[in-house]
Each structure stands twice: as structure tokens, then as C-alpha cells.
């Protein structure tokens, strides 16, 4: 039997990101929402089990090679699996930090300043109507870019490398913030793991 996709363990406790993100939200988000994406991805790929062997980012880059009947399910649930796997690692307990190293320099060169980047990324997060994600990516021309996507659509499908992403589905914040998405977006900056962002930038550059 082919190896299937698995839910990765969180590397910190559910309550580690408080007060920015509460423990109950983290538990449901990881153990229920992310788990469901993995289950449904595996179920969809029963129709094309050879894809279990490929890394999930490769599956998402090659969506149009999948049987048409499962393409939407894999796009949604495979995207959900990939995006959330990164999302957990983009956050860490502790004090707010600034971006470091070469990604910090690139952000200054592209956006003018870190504050301008934060403004642009936050606007993308706030401007996404309904469910989706805000992104900082390295695009096909190796330029930094900020935008949002709908649902679980992932930048990798367009050949972009995600460097930082923020889940703006209501399930990511509703228990604690209700309709106050802006407060959630603001709190996110206090838990970003900039070392991970730098590592992804160096790998993708
Ligand atoms: Mn989510």
C-alpha cells in the first residue's frame, strides 16, 4: 500500500501562541481542520495513488496532470494540507522580532521599509473577501510580492515560493476575535518566526 499524507505534529503547545492565538483555536485548527484536509486529500488520491509518493508542493504544481475528477478536491485539500503545514512553522512563541538577514534587506528594497511591508500584507489580509490567505512570496522572476488567494489556493500552483502566509479563514480566529479580523492580523506580527522566513527565502532565491 502506498504511503499516504500525514498530519504533522505541532512543534509547540496549543497555548504557546497566547494571547495572539488562543489554545482552543489552535487545537481545533490543527487537530480538526488540518486533519480533515489530510483525510480528504488521501481519499481523493485513492483514484490516483501514484501521487501519494510525491511531495505535496509538487502535487500542487502539477495539478493539471491529475485526473480531472479529483483535481478540485486535491487543489482544496492538498492546498489546505500544504498551507497549514507551513503556517504552523511560521509562528513561534515569544517576543515579537524583526525580519533578519537577506530577506530583511530584500523587503526594504522592495517595499521601502518593514513597516510598509506590514501595511501591504495587512491590507491583503483585510482585503480578501471571505476565506483565504495573505502571502509574501518570491515570484517567478525572483521578486518579492504580496497578495492574497481565495480558499486554500496556494502560491506554489503558480510556481511562486511562499515565504510567509496568514490564514484569514474565520476558523483561524473567530473563537477569540469574532468579526475582528484586523485585531487578529495585528496580533500575528507578535508570533512570526522570521528565521523560518529567512530560511525559505535563501532556499528559493
Ligand atoms: Mn486554516
Amino acid at each position: 500500500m502506498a504511503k499516504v499524507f500525514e498530519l504533522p505534529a505541532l512543534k509547540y503547545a496549543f497555548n504557546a501562541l497566547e494571547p495572539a492565538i488562543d489554545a482552543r483555536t489552535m487545537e481545533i485548527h490543527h487537530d480538526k481542520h488540518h486533519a480533515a484536509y489530510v483525510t480528504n486529500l488521501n481519499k481523493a488520491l485513492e483514484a490516483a495513488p501514484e501521487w501519494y509518493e510525491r511531495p505535496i508542493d509538487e502535487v500542487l504544481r502539477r495539478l493539471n496532470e491529475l485526473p480531472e475528477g479529483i483535481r478540485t478536491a486535491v487543489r482544496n485539500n492538498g492546498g489546505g494540507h500544504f498551507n497549514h503545514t507551513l503556517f504552523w512553522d511560521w509562528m513561534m512563541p515569544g517576543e515579537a522580532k524583526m525580519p533578519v538577514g537577506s530577506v530583511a534587506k530584500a523587503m526594504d528594497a522592495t517595499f521601502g521599509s518593514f513597516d510598509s511591508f506590514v501595511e501591504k500584507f495587512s491590507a491583503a489580509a483585510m482585503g480578501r473577501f471571505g476565506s483565504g490567505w495573505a502571502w509574501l512570496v518570491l515570484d517567478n522572476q525572483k521578486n518579492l510580492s504580496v497578495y492574497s488567494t481565495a480558499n486554500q489556493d496556494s502560491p506554489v500552483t503558480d510556481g511562486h515560493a511562499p515565504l510567509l502566509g496568514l490564514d484569514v479563514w474565520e476558523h483561524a480566529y473567530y473563537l477569540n476575535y469574532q468579526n475582528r479580523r484586523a485585531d487578529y492580523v495585528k496580533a500575528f506580527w507578535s508570533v512570526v518566526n522570521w528565521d523560518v522566513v529567512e530560511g525559505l527565502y535563501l532556499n528559493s532565491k
Side-chain angles (χ1 to χ4, degrees):
M1 179 176 159
K3 183 174 74 74
V4 298
F5 289 98
E6 289 178 355
L7 178 67
L10 259 194
K11 293 169 184 159
Y12 42 79
F14 292 130
N15 66 0
L17 303 179
E18 289 186 346
I21 304 180
D22 64 285
R24 185 79 176 126
T25 295
M26 286 299 293
E27 182 176 3
I28 296 171
H29 200 174
H30 178 271
D31 287 9
K32 304 293 183 196
H33 290 280
H34 189 171
Y37 295 128
V38 173
T39 300
N40 292 326
L41 169 64
N42 286 329
K43 194 176 294 177
L45 287 178
E46 283 172 6
E50 64 275 17
W51 290 90
Y52 288 130
E53 308 292 336
R54 315 308 311 171
I56 186 60
D57 56 319
E58 181 183 332
V59 177
L60 293 171
R61 265 194 304 272
R62 298 171 60 188
L63 273 182
N64 55 12
E65 297 174 42
L66 291 165
E68 209 175 339
I70 64 168
R71 220 172 279 166
T72 299
V74 172
R75 174 176 168 176
N76 290 336
N77 294 287
H81 175 43
F82 178 69
N83 293 340
H84 285 83
T85 298
L86 286 166
F87 186 50
W88 311 130
D89 285 348
W90 277 320
M91 300 185 288
M92 66 174 295
E95 298 293 307
K97 292 195 306 170
M98 296 288 284
V100 291
S102 44
V103 75
K105 288 199 189 89
M107 287 166 82
D108 283 346
T110 305
F111 305 110
S113 67
F114 177 61
D115 288 348
S116 300
F117 158 72
V118 168
E119 203 171 299
K120 194 163 190 201
F121 186 100
S122 302
M126 292 306 297
R128 170 50 53 188
F129 184 78
S131 297
W133 291 72
W135 300 102
L136 169 69
V137 304
L138 206 57
D139 69 15
N140 295 311
Q141 283 75 48
K142 304 289 181 187
N143 294 316
L144 292 183
S145 181
V146 165
Y147 56 79
S148 71
T149 59
N151 304 313
Q152 294 296 348
D153 290 351
S154 188
V156 285
T157 298
D158 294 323
H160 298 180
L163 304 181
L164 181 66
L166 176 60
D167 188 343
V168 294
W169 284 55
E170 282 190 346
H171 70 221
Y173 63 87
Y174 201 85
L175 284 183
N176 190 37
Y177 293 98
Q178 291 82 47
N179 62 319
R180 302 187 309 278
R181 186 189 285 187
D183 291 348
Y184 162 71
V185 172
K186 196 173 171 199
F188 175 63
W189 302 111
S190 69
V191 292
V192 173
N193 186 339
W194 288 107
D195 290 332
V196 168
V197 178
E198 171 75 355
L200 290 168
Y201 178 71
L202 293 176
N203 280 341
S204 315
K205 191 157 72 85

